[in-house]
Amino acid sequence: MSLHSATWRVHVSELDDSSLIRESIEWIAGESAVISVDKGKSIHGARQETISARVDNRKGACESFLRLGEKTMARLLEEDLSARIDEDKNFHIRLDISSLVSEKIKINNSDNMIAKGIFKIECYPGDKPEKIVSELIKKNIDD
């Protein structure tokens, strides 16, 4: 089993270094990602951009997942993986942007600026998405 796709998204204000953040999203998403930048306004009226990266193939999605690194994957195994999986069989993760721009991965559990990653799990009737993600993580830690 594997992943069908991956999506990364981050909201950037006018004060943030959007080109540096975009580079970090391009890095975590990988070479096969399609990057888009949508300009808009926050709910408070300030200008902002939403940088998105979409990976629509299994190989690219898995490569993006691998960029989370061994430490992060080991930490994920210690957690309740089912809390990160929604009813549509998507695996969610939030990464700290300040770490990501230096190509370091730190799971964000605070109010800091985040990059949100969503991975579509290849899961069929009778499969447990938690088991699929767990096996994928263990396989990549062992390799």
Side-chain angles (χ1 to χ4, degrees):
M1 294 294 168
S2 185
L3 302 169
H4 282 298
S5 63
T7 304
W8 289 96
R9 185 175 47 247
V10 63
H11 299 286
V12 182
S13 76
E14 286 184 295
L15 303 175
D16 299 315
D17 187 344
S18 63
S19 62
L20 183 62
I21 294 170
R22 180 182 171 145
E23 287 174 18
S24 67
I25 293 298
E26 289 172 350
W27 171 76
I28 193 82
E31 294 177 10
S32 63
V34 175
I35 308 294
S36 65
V37 179
D38 297 322
K39 297 182 185 234
K41 291 189 177 188
S42 73
I43 58 171
H44 301 292
R47 283 185 260 170
Q48 74 174 18
E49 294 179 345
T50 302
I51 302 171
S52 301
R54 178 93 181 139
V55 182
D56 285 324
N57 62 65
R58 290 180 178 143
K59 182 180 178 188
C62 287
E63 287 173 358
S64 180
F65 190 75
L66 286 174
R67 283 190 181 85
L68 294 175
E70 205 172 300
K71 277 183 169 180
T72 302
M73 288 191 192
R75 181 173 172 201
L76 288 170
L77 279 179
E78 295 171 0
E79 296 179 3
D80 178 18
L81 289 176
S82 62
R84 294 187 175 275
I85 299 172
D86 64 22
E87 64 277 355
D88 295 323
K89 299 176 181 87
N90 292 310
F91 179 80
H92 296 262
I93 190 164
R94 289 179 168 85
L95 302 179
D96 180 70
I97 285 290
S98 60
S99 298
L100 186 60
V101 296
S102 59
E103 295 185 3
K104 296 180 182 170
I105 305 298
K106 181 179 175 188
I107 296 174
N108 190 315
N109 294 323
S110 65
D111 294 332
N112 296 340
M113 190 173 177
I114 63 161
K116 182 171 184 176
I118 303 170
F119 295 90
K120 181 66 176 173
I121 303 166
E122 183 180 357
C123 191
Y124 300 99
D127 292 340
K128 293 187 178 185
E130 301 86 3
K131 184 178 178 188
I132 292 169
V133 172
S134 176
E135 288 174 359
L136 186 61
I137 290 171
K138 288 175 185 174
K139 177 184 172 220
N140 290 310
I141 289 174
D142 293 339
D143 286 347

